[in-house]
Amino acid sequence: MTTRKERNFNYILLNLASFVLILFFFIWFSVDYYRNWGVELETYLKSFSESLSYPAWTYDNRVIEQLVKVMVKKKDITFVSVYDDKGNKIITSTKEFSPNLFDQIFGTKHFTKTYNLNYADTFVGKVTFGYVDREPREFLQVIGLVLASLYMVIFLLISNLKKNQRLAAMVKELNDMNSELELAFNELEEAQNKVINSEKMAALGKLMVNIAHDVNTPAGIIYSSLTEQQNRLNSVREKFQSDELSEKDFLDCLNTITQLTEIMLRNSRRITELVQSLKRVAMNEMTQTYSEVSIKSLVDDVLNALHPKLRKTKVEIVTEISDDLVVRTMPGAIAQILMNLIDNAIVHAFEYDNPGKINIKFEKIKNKNEKEYLVLVFSDNGKGMEPEVQKRAFEPFYTTEPNTGTGLGLSIVYNLVVEILGGEIELESAVGKGTTFKIRIPVDK
């Protein structure tokens, strides 16, 4: 039978062990969270820098100014400065940052990062970002308060083992802890939504860069054709002025100019189609409103916008969509779902370089209550998923490619289908036999 002194000693040891464990967890969690925050922010800054390369190359200051204004609105960013290839400042956008009492107590730091802007292996300038780490420090402060509250509850629980009459006080402390945990959870959820929105903006920026690369080829053909056309016209003019122009020379010139004009018209139409597809996809991304939409046209726009990325792979995409399939839904959400599924398949199912096929099928069905649904069946014949990967596929930040992926692609798909569109999503996969996503979305009337 233990004495009162031994029991008190055991209580002290238990309290000390609890304190050490919670302190260790807080230190580990703080270091890991701060590092991940830095990695995610740097990834976002790099992605945004890539989106500035083409405007900097073309000296399109209006586009640069618009992109910089969007970037400086991010909570952690304090300023963005863009320079040309000669070091001359093109634009600077600054957001006022005034250190408050929190910053002074917890040592909020100010950082700068500079990235070179390269387009087509050519240095076209650089961009400098200024940012602070107030947000992760605020978040870790909340976690620290929660863990401190947790330790206090444990301390009270151990103390109440000696005095049962203080049980009511312990319950009250537990209720207080639950309230603080709920508050922390809400803040975590809000932070996750911000990261998801940042990921969507970064994806849109990458899409713009890819389209810009794809426009280069027809633009170069048009330039070459114009140059040849000018040379031929100059040659004919010189012969005409010197009375050496023959009928054959004139007819050859007409035929050549006709051919070159057809080439330029064909490539101009290609550029127009690419730009229009990007414009429609971008507008859909930015506006989450319901409207009547042709699903086939929407899918064609998405595939056109992704063409620069798809043509670098060995993946074939086959669609099965009726020309008259028109529904009232959120076209932006549907486009985002499709883009993320295609990107996920390229990266994970085929690992970029492997050949394969993606099948996209849309149809409209009715249930027993005559309620209409838009059904998407998205399947690939890639490497498939392990059972454990399937279970966690829709978890935020879960990825099997930590060096290249953010783990947000399928999480965004799930959020759009279930939370935004009120639909359902099913995942079927087998190792070596591919993966199928079945999505059912209620049609708005």
Side-chain angles (χ1 to χ4, degrees):
M1 185 174 180
T2 58
T3 64
R4 181 177 180 181
K5 185 176 181 180
E6 290 173 337
R7 287 197 301 271
N8 288 336
F9 181 74
N10 290 336
Y11 291 142
I12 293 173
L13 286 179
L14 191 56
N15 271 315
L16 182 61
S18 301
F19 175 78
V20 171
L21 284 174
I22 291 175
L23 181 61
F24 174 79
F25 173 79
F26 177 71
I27 294 174
W28 170 81
F29 180 85
S30 299
V31 172
D32 186 66
Y33 179 84
Y34 196 92
R35 183 179 63 252
N36 289 336
W37 171 83
V39 171
E40 291 168 6
L41 183 61
E42 184 171 2
T43 300
Y44 182 72
L45 296 180
K46 286 182 178 178
S47 298
F48 189 80
S49 299
E50 292 176 1
S51 69
L52 283 171
S53 299
Y54 181 72
W57 182 65
T58 58
Y59 299 99
D60 195 340
N61 292 347
R62 183 179 60 83
V63 174
I64 293 174
E65 183 177 2
Q66 291 175 347
L67 292 174
V68 168
K69 284 182 179 179
V70 172
M71 186 61 183
V72 85
K73 290 180 181 179
K74 183 173 174 60
K75 185 175 181 181
D76 296 318
I77 305 299
T78 57
F79 75 87
V80 180
S81 296
V82 182
Y83 303 84
D84 61 18
D85 56 347
K86 297 177 181 175
N88 298 319
K89 185 180 294 184
I90 299 175
I91 185 173
T92 294
S93 185
T94 305
K95 180 171 59 182
E96 183 178 358
F97 172 71
S98 301
N100 53 29
L101 183 61
F102 172 89
D103 299 318
Q104 296 174 3
I105 295 176
F106 293 94
T108 299
K109 296 180 180 180
H110 197 282
F111 304 89
T112 58
K113 277 189 177 294
T114 300
Y115 298 94
N116 288 335
L117 303 178
N118 297 296
Y119 182 79
D121 298 328
T122 301
F123 175 76
V124 296
K126 63 181 180 178
V127 57
T128 299
F129 299 95
Y131 61 94
V132 295
D133 59 354
R134 176 187 286 173
E135 184 175 351
R137 290 181 183 273
E138 289 177 345
F139 175 73
L140 291 176
Q141 179 198 19
V142 173
I143 295 298
L145 291 174
V146 171
L147 292 178
S149 301
L150 178 62
Y151 173 73
M152 289 301 300
V153 171
I154 294 174
F155 177 82
L156 290 174
L157 179 61
I158 294 173
S159 300
N160 286 341
L161 291 176
K162 298 184 293 181
K163 298 181 180 180
N164 291 334
Q165 64 270 23
R166 299 183 60 187
L167 181 61
M170 183 191 69
V171 173
K172 183 178 180 302
E173 293 292 335
L174 285 173
N175 289 334
D176 292 341
M177 182 197 70
N178 287 334
S179 298
E180 293 187 13
L181 285 174
E182 183 178 358
L183 177 62
F185 175 79
N186 291 335
E187 293 182 354
L188 278 170
E189 191 175 36
E190 182 180 352
Q192 176 182 318
N193 291 333
K194 290 180 179 178
V195 173
I196 290 175
N197 289 333
S198 298
E199 179 72 11
K200 290 172 67 178
M201 291 300 297
L204 191 57
K206 292 178 182 177
L207 186 64
M208 293 174 65
V209 172
N210 287 333
I211 288 290
H213 279 291
D214 214 40
V215 166
N216 271 347
T217 299
I221 294 173
I222 292 172
Y223 178 80
S224 298
S225 299
L226 283 172
T227 302
E228 177 63 19
Q229 190 177 82
Q230 186 181 38
N231 292 336
R232 294 303 296 268
L233 287 173
N234 288 337
S235 176
V236 169
R237 183 184 294 109
E238 290 174 359
K239 289 182 178 181
F240 175 78
Q241 291 173 347
S242 60
D243 291 330
E244 297 177 359
L245 180 65
S246 66
E247 182 179 352
K248 183 179 180 302
D249 291 335
F250 182 72
L251 291 177
D252 286 344
C253 180
L254 284 180
N255 290 333
T256 301
I257 290 176
T258 300
Q259 293 172 2
L260 292 174
T261 301
E262 291 176 353
I263 292 173
M264 288 187 287
L265 286 173
R266 187 165 57 251
N267 284 275
S268 295
R269 284 193 293 269
R270 177 57 181 158
I271 292 174
T272 301
E273 290 170 359
L274 285 171
V275 173
Q276 290 299 325
S277 295
L278 176 61
K279 181 180 178 181
R280 287 191 290 267
V281 172
M283 287 301 297
N284 288 334
E285 284 289 318
M286 300 302 293
T287 58
Q288 295 290 352
T289 57
Y290 279 87
S291 61
E292 293 282 344
V293 59
S294 168
I295 298 300
K296 184 172 180 59
S297 297
L298 177 63
V299 174
D300 288 342
D301 284 339
V302 171
L303 295 181
N304 281 334
L306 291 176
H307 175 71
K309 186 171 187 176
L310 291 171
R311 69 190 177 102
K312 299 176 183 177
T313 70
K314 302 174 184 177
V315 178
E316 175 189 4
I317 295 184
V318 179
T319 60
E320 186 179 343
I321 309 167
S322 174
D323 291 337
D324 59 355
L325 180 55
V326 177
V327 298
R328 181 173 174 78
T329 185
M330 285 188 184
I334 301 297
Q336 181 69 29
I337 290 169
L338 203 55
M339 290 170 65
N340 282 16
L341 290 177
I342 292 173
D343 187 66
N344 184 74
I346 292 173
V347 175
H348 299 288
F350 304 113
E351 297 179 331
Y352 292 103
D353 297 327
N354 295 323
K357 179 186 289 186
I358 293 175
N359 292 287
I360 300 172
K361 179 181 179 181
F362 275 95
E363 62 180 340
K364 187 164 59 174
I365 64 171
K366 290 184 179 180
N367 64 4
K368 297 179 180 179
N369 298 324
E370 294 298 312
K371 183 174 178 59
E372 292 185 335
Y373 291 88
L374 177 65
V375 176
L376 164 61
V377 180
F378 183 98
S379 58
D380 64 65
N381 61 349
K383 67 178 185 179
M385 300 182 188
E386 299 281 353
E388 180 61 28
V389 176
Q390 292 184 52
K391 293 178 182 178
R392 304 185 61 188
F394 297 118
E395 290 183 13
F397 307 111
Y398 175 74
T399 178
T400 56
E401 300 287 341
N403 295 327
T404 58
T406 61
L408 289 173
L410 291 183
S411 173
I412 292 174
V413 170
Y414 183 87
N415 182 68
L416 289 169
V417 172
V418 178
E419 302 296 335
I420 304 299
L421 297 173
E424 302 171 353
I425 183 170
E426 297 179 11
L427 167 62
E428 298 175 1
S429 185
V431 177
K433 296 183 179 180
T435 301
T436 298
F437 294 89
K438 295 181 180 179
I439 297 173
R440 192 174 74 159
I441 299 167
V443 174
D444 183 69
K445 294 184 178 181

